[in-house]
Amino acid sequence: MKTDVKKIFGSNVFNDAVMKERLPKAAYKKMKATIDAGAELDPEVADIVAHEMKEWALEKGATHYTHWFQPLTGITAEKHDAFIDPQSDGTTLLRFSGKELIKGEPDASSFPSGGLRATFEARGYTAWDCTSPAFIKETPHSTILCIPTAFCSYKGEALDKKTPLLRSMQALEIQVLRILRLFGNKTAKHVTTSVGPEQEYFLVDKEKFLKRKDLIFTGRTLFGAMPPKGQEMDDHYFGVIPERVLGFMEKFNEELWKLGISAKTQHNEVAPAQHEIAPIYDQNNIATDHNQLVMETAQRVADELGLKCLLHEKPFAGINGSGKHNNWSICTDEGENLLDPGETPHENMQFLLFLAAILRAVDEHADLLRLSASTPGNDHRLGANEAPPAIISVFLGEQLEDVVEQFVDNGEATSSLEGEEYISGVHSLPHFQKDATDRNRTSPFAFTGNKFEFRMVGSTQSIADPNTVLNTIVAEVLSDMADRLEASDDLPMAIHDMIKDTIAAHKRIIFNGNGYSDEWVAEAERRGLPNLHSMVDAIPTLTTDKAVKMFEKFGVYTKEELESRVEVLYEQYSNTINIEGLATLDIAKKQIVPAVMKYQRKLANGVAELKTVGVDSSVQEKLLEDITANLKDLFAAINKLEADIPEAQALESEAQARCYHDTIFTDMSAVREPADKLEMLVAKEDWPMPSYGDLIFEV
């Protein structure tokens, strides 16, 4: 039966259309003022909304509601409460008040807080984010009303990822409106960042997944020899989607559409078993909520269909990992995209001023952007020949680079390159106007027509962190620009000079070449651009004097909140590598070593039998010798890892994270190397887990 997309789209969302239909006109008008203009929420209106939200949810089959929030774990959290209100006569009523809608009280001591909360300080609050619509989460076994919320401590500190994001959106809006007023726009009242995050993922067979303890414990393979074929034929990218995967995608899309998520594009990615889904743009905080739902829904639907969805940035060594390209632009409530250069970018001074501001922001805070895309998993990916390097640079393309160079060389720009006509040489194929610039897939921060694509973000990440940083650093630059322009006696000339001077001062951040090349690494060093190789190297950037001053100025983070996040990041890194190290030992000692020894005995017995009957056993003896040598190497590497982990566990904070990065991670690689060689020597039926070939080519 064909899916009626128009009928199901947004059917599980308490959106504007539902509110308009169900709320009294006066209540709806006040609610819209709160959502669109930030007006204070009337408690009476909250009661009305809560009642109608409950009635709507009951009609959908829900018996419980939850304040759905995003703690510092990077995933979502929820505590379910029933609508029941027991009465003295033994019956019950179904109620949901405005107070219950607006505020919840989950335990704040059991979530990561980086020292903001002590164990005995348990009280925390969830506060309704009415700008992101409530929705029904529908699974085969439950129907829950989910209310998007922010999460803070009893003392008001942000304990989540959404609160700083909302603060950064507010900060950027204020500064953008100041700039727009200087250009004569007196009517725009609201500005938001518009975000469209692409999501890459792997699909593997669930039965095979359950035979891989490394995937179960860590989300990535800690062992595995490369199969004869990987991605070198480039035949998977945009290839025909396998039927089983298409079935998953169809169900996946339906579930997302019910949630009002505009999933539009789907295709095979570069690596075998790798795929991508991309939505249409949405308001920043809604896009963040939606991306969390995309990840949750992908894993749930895959599980229902006998598959497993792997979101780890690098689930398989030797083939491409997964990212999440964060497409970011700035839009007004009048529908204007402020990053649209128009037909003649050289004449669009408003666009050029915003462009200059972004170049300066990225140059001055490249370290923070690098940190915002840091996860233990992304350390495997960034800088490899598949993803942007760990060095932040900006790609502008031929058209804008030409405009920029005109400003720098001549003090003004007088022309813009235009796209040429596409001519194929085949009479029956259409001619059309090509874009004025090509794309650069090696750039970490690329202009792509009317937006910037931040390509470094990891596939497991919440997009709240990179967008919080991006919004704040641009707000800081726009604030400084507005201060100076508002004091100018000759505004047009001041704008012109500001564009020219800013571009000239920060031109070093522009790079349109091959970001994968060794030459770029050397060139970036010559330019003085930071090269933070790992998450551990990047974490300290969050509490530099420069960063603290900026975040506090715009009310996005306090110094204490920043310090807490540093501790949380070190702890998350250490915990991740500790689990991987322990899993490496567990699998090597309990599965690989016993399997190899069993095969070794089988082979030795075979050699003895051949000698008994006088048959040449030199081949078998050589194989046995190779297995024995690699087994000895494996055992030595296991012993070192086993000895080093307790030393790392005894450390704290940065020292611990660095030990895990420098020592434990290296030890794990040393265990893997002989193990992967042994996989190629031991018979397939005697190897204790599915191979890479089984996992990525048999979906």
Side-chain angles (χ1 to χ4, degrees):
M1 183 177 177
K2 291 289 185 181
T3 301
D4 188 339
V5 180
K6 288 194 291 184
K7 184 176 180 180
I8 70 169
F9 190 85
S11 59
N12 282 351
V13 184
F14 195 77
N15 53 27
D16 184 68
V18 175
M19 286 196 296
K20 192 171 186 179
E21 177 187 344
R22 304 185 76 112
L23 298 181
K25 286 185 179 179
Y28 172 74
K29 187 176 180 180
K30 289 181 179 179
M31 193 66 215
K32 284 290 288 180
T34 299
I35 294 172
D36 295 341
E40 188 173 343
L41 182 64
D42 185 334
E44 290 185 8
V45 172
D47 277 329
I48 295 170
V49 173
H51 173 76
E52 290 301 328
M53 194 181 286
K54 176 207 67 178
E55 292 297 308
W56 173 79
L58 291 173
E59 291 168 15
K60 294 284 184 180
T63 57
H64 288 67
Y65 70 92
T66 181
H67 276 196
W68 186 77
F69 59 102
Q70 300 171 36
L72 299 182
T73 56
I75 57 177
T76 60
E78 50 195 63
K79 179 186 74 171
H80 300 174
D81 287 297
F83 291 118
I84 62 169
D85 183 7
Q87 303 299 295
S88 59
D89 62 359
T91 63
T92 188
L93 298 177
L94 298 179
R95 288 180 175 164
F96 185 47
S97 68
K99 182 179 179 181
E100 290 170 314
L101 170 62
I102 290 171
K103 187 191 77 168
E105 191 182 335
D107 183 350
S109 66
S110 298
F111 289 102
S113 71
L116 287 177
R117 294 266 81 190
T119 303
F120 65 88
E121 296 176 315
R123 195 181 296 277
Y125 296 113
T126 48
W128 177 31
D129 174 18
C130 64
T131 63
S132 185
F135 57 91
I136 295 289
K137 186 187 288 188
E138 199 174 45
T139 74
H141 306 293
S142 66
T143 305
I144 306 294
L145 171 64
C146 297
I147 302 160
T149 59
F151 179 44
C152 64
S153 75
Y154 179 72
K155 297 178 182 177
E157 301 108 334
L159 297 176
D160 66 341
K161 294 179 179 289
K162 170 163 277 193
T163 301
L165 175 64
L166 292 171
R167 292 170 179 171
S168 74
M169 292 169 62
Q170 182 174 280
L172 182 62
E173 177 181 51
I174 292 169
Q175 303 310 322
V176 171
L177 286 173
R178 290 178 68 192
I179 297 294
L180 290 180
R181 299 295 182 254
L182 293 168
F183 280 94
N185 184 333
K186 308 298 183 185
T187 55
K189 297 183 179 64
H190 187 46
V191 171
T192 185
T193 40
S194 182
V195 174
E198 304 165 27
Q199 180 70 54
E200 295 175 346
Y201 60 93
F202 281 81
L203 286 178
V204 298
D205 182 79
K206 182 178 179 179
E207 187 177 341
K208 295 184 178 73
F209 169 91
L210 293 173
K211 294 177 181 177
R212 295 282 315 211
K213 294 295 184 183
D214 46 5
L215 286 177
I216 293 171
F217 291 139
T218 73
R220 76 178 182 98
T221 52
L222 302 173
F223 300 95
M226 279 296 293
K229 179 187 177 186
Q231 63 190 50
E232 62 272 16
M233 298 302 292
D234 300 320
D235 54 347
H236 188 70
Y237 191 51
F238 280 26
V240 176
I241 301 172
E243 276 298 313
R244 191 178 182 191
V245 175
L246 272 177
F248 160 82
M249 288 179 171
E250 182 177 359
K251 175 68 172 171
F252 186 24
N253 282 325
E254 286 180 10
E255 294 301 307
L256 295 180
W257 291 336
K258 289 178 188 177
L259 293 166
I261 299 172
S262 53
K264 184 173 178 67
T265 303
Q266 61 188 33
H267 60 84
N268 289 351
E269 255 299 331
V270 172
Q274 187 186 32
H275 312 279
E276 181 180 295
I277 187 168
I280 297 173
Y281 301 87
D282 220 326
Q283 182 176 301
N284 205 327
N285 64 313
I286 296 175
T288 300
D289 288 355
H290 282 179
N291 186 248
Q292 293 295 135
L293 287 170
V294 165
M295 292 189 286
E296 290 178 23
T297 305
Q299 292 178 312
R300 175 174 59 79
V301 171
D303 195 64
E304 291 172 13
L305 299 178
L307 296 164
K308 278 292 180 179
C309 174
L310 307 180
L311 294 173
H312 194 283
E313 285 82 4
K314 193 74 172 179
F316 301 102
I319 61 174
N320 275 18
S322 297
K324 177 152 41 194
H325 302 165
N326 187 84
N327 296 279
W328 179 91
S329 59
I330 310 172
C331 300
T332 72
D333 56 351
E334 298 175 322
E336 182 183 10
N337 181 352
L338 301 178
L339 296 188
D340 186 346
E343 296 295 323
T344 53
H346 67 285
E347 298 175 338
N348 191 340
M349 302 303 284
Q350 178 179 286
F351 163 76
L352 289 172
L353 185 65
F354 281 111
L355 176 65
I358 292 168
L359 290 175
R360 175 181 160 188
V362 173
D363 187 21
E364 291 182 344
H365 296 288
D367 54 351
L368 285 176
L369 274 178
R370 169 67 179 92
L371 170 66
S372 76
S374 295
T375 70
N378 224 14
D379 276 1
H380 296 274
R381 174 177 163 266
L382 295 180
N385 191 28
E386 59 170 281
I391 305 165
I392 298 284
S393 64
V394 178
F395 167 81
L396 292 181
E398 292 90 342
Q399 185 187 59
L400 291 185
E401 185 180 35
D402 177 65
V403 171
V404 161
E405 287 179 349
Q406 289 181 60
F407 261 102
V408 173
D409 296 340
N410 308 321
E412 61 179 344
T414 58
S415 63
S416 299
L417 299 176
E418 295 182 2
E420 299 176 353
E421 186 180 17
Y422 169 78
I423 301 175
S424 67
V426 179
H427 296 310
S428 59
L429 292 179
H431 293 186
F432 54 82
Q433 202 73 12
K434 294 190 294 185
D435 291 321
T437 186
D438 203 347
R439 288 191 175 184
N440 187 327
R441 296 187 62 82
T442 71
S443 175
F445 199 80
F447 186 76
T448 54
N450 59 3
K451 57 185 171 58
F452 277 97
E453 183 179 19
F454 188 26
R455 297 172 52 85
M456 293 178 77
V457 184
S459 51
T460 60
Q461 283 189 266
S462 163
I463 60 170
D465 290 334
N467 285 297
T468 297
V469 169
L470 192 50
N471 293 342
T472 309
I473 64 176
V474 175
E476 181 193 40
V477 174
L478 291 178
S479 174
D480 177 62
M481 286 181 164
D483 287 345
R484 290 190 283 151
L485 292 175
E486 287 167 352
S488 171
D489 295 328
D490 186 349
L491 186 59
M493 182 56 66
I495 290 173
H496 173 276
D497 290 347
M498 183 170 286
I499 293 170
K500 179 188 70 174
D501 294 344
T502 303
I503 289 173
H506 300 282
K507 190 176 178 233
R508 68 172 186 167
I509 200 68
I510 301 171
F511 179 66
N512 286 350
N514 181 8
Y516 293 161
S517 68
D518 293 336
E519 290 78 9
W520 166 234
V521 176
E523 170 64 16
E525 184 177 3
R526 186 189 67 78
R527 295 187 187 188
L529 300 179
N531 187 0
L532 301 169
H533 296 282
S534 72
M535 176 179 173
V536 178
D537 294 328
I539 291 172
T541 66
L542 200 54
T543 49
T544 62
D545 291 342
K546 180 176 70 170
V548 172
K549 182 180 178 182
M550 176 187 67
F551 283 122
E552 288 199 322
K553 176 181 177 181
F554 294 99
V556 176
Y557 290 110
T558 64
K559 183 179 181 181
E560 292 73 24
E561 287 172 339
L562 289 169
E563 290 171 344
S564 75
R565 277 144 181 83
V566 165
E567 288 307 307
V568 168
L569 289 170
Y570 281 135
E571 183 180 26
Q572 288 176 342
Y573 185 88
S574 295
N575 286 343
T576 298
I577 307 303
N578 184 62
I579 291 169
E580 290 185 352
L582 293 176
T584 297
L585 289 176
D586 186 81
I587 295 165
K589 293 172 69 176
K590 293 181 180 178
Q591 291 185 274
I592 294 176
V593 168
V596 173
M597 292 175 67
K598 182 179 179 181
Y599 187 70
Q600 201 177 29
R601 286 193 297 272
K602 184 191 295 187
L603 200 57
N605 290 337
V607 169
E609 289 177 8
L610 289 174
K611 286 185 174 180
T612 300
V613 296
V615 176
D616 181 13
S617 61
S618 58
V619 172
Q620 291 84 347
E621 289 180 60
K622 181 63 171 69
L623 178 58
L624 187 58
E625 181 184 324
D626 291 345
I627 289 173
T628 301
N630 280 291
L631 186 58
K632 287 175 66 177
D633 291 343
L634 175 60
F635 204 73
I638 288 172
N639 288 337
K640 185 174 189 313
L641 175 60
E642 198 163 28
D644 287 342
I645 285 179
E647 293 185 12
Q649 291 172 335
L651 300 172
E652 294 181 356
S653 193
E654 181 178 0
Q656 184 181 62
R658 290 200 176 277
C659 183
Y660 275 108
H661 177 270
D662 298 341
T663 302
I664 305 305
F665 190 80
T666 303
D667 288 353
M668 288 163 53
S669 299
V671 173
R672 178 172 186 159
E673 185 177 351
D676 288 355
K677 290 178 181 178
L678 286 164
E679 183 183 349
M680 301 301 293
L681 297 172
V682 174
K684 180 176 177 60
E685 60 268 20
D686 292 303
W687 194 250
M689 65 191 78
S691 68
Y692 268 24
D694 297 332
L695 287 164
I696 65 177
F697 287 109
E698 298 180 15
V699 179

